[in-house]
Amino acid sequence: MRLSDLPRRGVARVDRVEDRAPGDPIARRLRELGFVAGEPVRMMAAGPFGAEPLLVQIGFTRFALRRAEAARVLLSEEGARA
């Protein structure tokens, strides 16, 4: 599943960030911000028009992402285990 498909208030774990092209700067930045394997991520909300931006939380930090950016983040099948 991709982060862009996670339902509101859904919690999962990051599996990896997918590069769309070699040296993808957006994927690199997402990894720098903390979207790394094993980190729990929560979908907090989506914007009113076209459901953009998406508000996601990793740890105590919240990020507003476009759907195309969130689609680069792949979630693990096991989900988030406490």
Side-chain angles (χ1 to χ4, degrees):
M1 176 191 321
R2 296 182 183 274
L3 179 56
S4 57
D5 300 325
L6 191 64
R8 186 170 183 252
R9 296 288 180 198
V11 178
R13 287 198 184 274
V14 174
D15 180 46
R16 64 187 170 93
V17 177
E18 180 178 72
D19 288 294
R20 293 282 167 94
D24 185 350
I26 295 171
R28 184 183 71 237
R29 184 67 178 146
L30 288 169
R31 286 187 287 269
E32 290 170 353
L33 291 171
F35 291 85
V36 294
E39 285 297 316
V41 61
R42 177 185 298 263
M43 179 66 66
M44 302 302 294
F49 301 106
E52 281 200 69
L54 301 173
L55 180 63
V56 299
Q57 181 172 329
I58 288 192
F60 295 106
T61 307
R62 293 182 178 184
F63 299 96
L65 301 177
R66 293 182 183 101
R67 283 198 169 274
E69 295 165 345
R72 287 175 167 84
V73 180
L74 298 173
L75 306 174
S76 67
E77 292 294 322
E78 65 188 43
R81 295 190 181 163

